[in-house]
Amino acid sequence: MSSSTPTSVLVLGATGFTGRLITRYLSTHRNLDLGKSVERITVDVTRYKEVERAVRGKGVVINAVGPYWKWGTLVVRACVRNAVHYVDLTAEGVWMKEIIREFDYLATKTHSIIVPACGMDSIPSDLCVYLSNKTLKLHSQDDIPRQQLMESGADYYLSPGPTLSAHKILVGGFFFMQPTNRAVVHRTWGLLELYAREGKNADASMRYGPKFVYDEFLVKPTLGAAIAYVTSLVIGLGLLVFAPPFRWWVKRQMPKSGDGPSEANMETGFLTCTNLTQSSSTPPITVQSSFKGAGDPGYLLTSILISEAALSLILPSPEGTALPYLARCGGVLTPVTAMGDVLVERLRRTGHVEFESTVVTMDKAGRKKYM
């Protein structure tokens, strides 16, 4: 943002397991020289006046206190009223809908940037779609005559004789983060489309287009593995709902507040998010974009994602990047509409995240070829 933007960060929930990881990451960050400037404060997030005193004058608030439906609204209200930016780790779609309804308009007046779901939910999904869209735009075929484009989509267009092709079919099942990720990606599309149609968005090239659809699932290596996964998922959910002893046992196995995996387990974890995007052009262009994260997704990687998201809003943007137009307007936004290329580049520089986005074609044997 502008040079007048405060650069102080307030981490709420810093004594919890994820909160401790966030503060540890920030304390050793290459772009921060905290020295003795770290201040510890006690805030009761159920008391609005305490929250407002804590956030006033800050650059950005990282809220790691959930569940957000219960504890998050007062924090967002204080940030919006005091023109402070905000990021969190929510996966609660109902709560996100409520803060959009209550605070989006006011945030555009105070220029406060409110970005929920800045962890494993839903940065990887949102950024992969964004990168696929950028790659599609770079490989547009608008200069080729339409008739020739239509002919090039015919079967065996370049083949001297008929050849069968076998396309690999992806199989899998329901991904538990799908509802939140899908909702966030759809909001990104809606914001970009709305502002482009109203002529307000200087980044109109970012829009995904009126025919955009999105969904996601958990990929399994074989059909048998997919069936086994879905079957176990249905049985497990059924036991949770209808078998109180099983529900009690599951709760006993869950980490207690403040607990988490060991350092060794966090370091060996990883996350791969792959997006396949196909254009509505004739013939269609297919792009594959991937997000590869090193570290336990739910804890270590999430602490990096939300920290870099917060810093994207208050520190100078990496060379060659700038915050999107919507960030300059404020509002309840998404990782892409608030941070865009700035967040992509900041995550690349951490050494924990790799991005790749490329056009994909299929050879005659049904194998992928990358351009």
Side-chain angles (χ1 to χ4, degrees), residues 138-249:
L138 289 173
H139 290 81
S140 92
Q141 297 177 322
D142 292 342
D143 295 333
I144 303 176
R146 185 172 183 81
Q147 182 61 34
Q148 290 178 245
L149 275 176
M150 294 178 65
E151 291 174 356
S152 69
D155 291 341
Y156 313 117
Y157 173 61
L158 298 178
S159 174
T163 306
L164 296 177
S165 64
H167 294 263
K168 182 179 178 181
I169 299 175
L170 293 176
V171 294
F174 176 75
F175 183 41
F176 72 97
M177 293 167 59
Q178 181 263 10
T180 302
N181 292 341
R182 187 169 178 263
V184 169
V185 170
H186 283 170
R187 179 159 179 79
T188 294
W189 168 79
L191 288 169
L192 295 175
E193 194 71 12
L194 176 65
Y195 274 69
R197 289 182 181 183
E198 293 180 353
K200 298 178 181 178
N201 192 351
D203 305 323
S205 62
M206 290 175 61
R207 67 190 293 194
Y208 299 166
K211 297 181 180 180
F212 177 78
V213 293
Y214 177 83
D215 212 338
E216 63 181 48
F217 62 96
L218 187 64
V219 175
K220 291 295 180 180
T222 64
L223 179 59
I227 293 173
Y229 166 74
V230 173
T231 302
S232 62
L233 186 66
V234 170
I235 293 174
L237 290 175
L239 289 172
L240 282 174
V241 174
F242 299 110
F246 180 75
R247 188 163 59 245
W248 173 84
W249 179 82

Side-chain angles (χ1 to χ4, degrees), residues 27 43 47 69-70 81 91 131 155 158 170 179-180 233 241 249 332 369:
S27 68
V43 182
R47 298 178 180 273
W69 175 268
K70 191 173 184 179
R81 289 182 175 179
L131 292 174
D155 291 341
L158 298 178
L170 293 176
T180 302
L233 186 66
V241 174
W249 179 82
V332 181
K369 294 174 63 179

Side-chain angles (χ1 to χ4, degrees), residues 71 75 80-81 94 104 117 127 148 151 180 187 199 218 238 248 299 303 315 336:
W71 310 118
V75 180
V80 171
R81 289 182 175 179
V94 174
D104 184 50
L127 290 185
Q148 290 178 245
E151 291 174 356
T180 302
R187 179 159 179 79
L218 187 64
W248 173 84
Y299 292 100
S303 69
L315 294 183
V336 162

